[in-house]
Amino acid sequence: MPTRESDDLYSLLAENIRDYAIFIADREGYISKWGLGAARLFGYEDDEAVGNHIAMIFTPEDRERREPERELQTAREFGHAEDERWHIRKDGSLFWASGILTAL
């Protein structure tokens, strides 16, 4: 069970690391914290991302194949899910990235 201290630490990391797209989502995949690196890489500001599903950074083809849900299920079952895939920015441009989804 997360503590106030661990929540604060996760928030601090998500908010201040700029070279990686770190964000926090709940078990269902809804974003609760959106870091500076995520904003820089994906183009969404905090108020545009928080409350949305992580599917927003997956390509339409991956969403159609239900890849976001598969990633979440894998992370819940095995503690993490890793991928290398195309992701989509707010402006619609694509970029190739490695991702790790970790269940906390």
Side-chain angles (χ1 to χ4, degrees):
M1 177 69 73
T3 64
R4 169 102 172 122
E5 185 177 309
S6 67
D7 286 345
D8 290 346
L9 178 60
Y10 297 135
S11 293
L12 184 65
L13 289 170
E15 291 167 3
N16 290 292
I17 294 176
R18 297 168 192 251
D19 295 330
Y20 299 94
I22 296 178
F23 55 91
I24 299 171
D26 65 16
R27 291 180 53 80
E28 288 75 38
Y30 289 93
I31 299 166
S32 60
K33 299 284 183 193
W34 187 253
L36 293 174
R40 184 178 66 77
L41 291 169
F42 290 107
Y44 293 97
E45 294 301 321
D46 184 71
D47 63 340
E48 296 173 299
V50 171
N52 284 300
H53 197 271
I54 65 168
M56 67 187 261
I57 65 170
F58 285 73
T59 65
E61 297 81 11
D62 282 345
R63 288 192 300 260
E64 188 175 304
R65 289 191 298 269
R66 304 194 49 81
E67 291 298 325
E69 291 81 4
R70 264 190 268 257
E71 297 263 332
L72 287 164
Q73 185 61 34
T74 299
R76 284 191 294 263
E77 287 181 26
F78 301 104
H80 74 281
E82 296 182 37
D83 69 27
E84 289 189 357
R85 69 174 73 244
W86 290 103
H87 288 279
I88 192 164
R89 292 185 176 101
K90 180 182 175 179
D91 68 6
S93 64
L94 300 176
F95 68 101
W96 186 258
S98 298
I100 300 173
L101 182 62
T102 303
L104 301 175

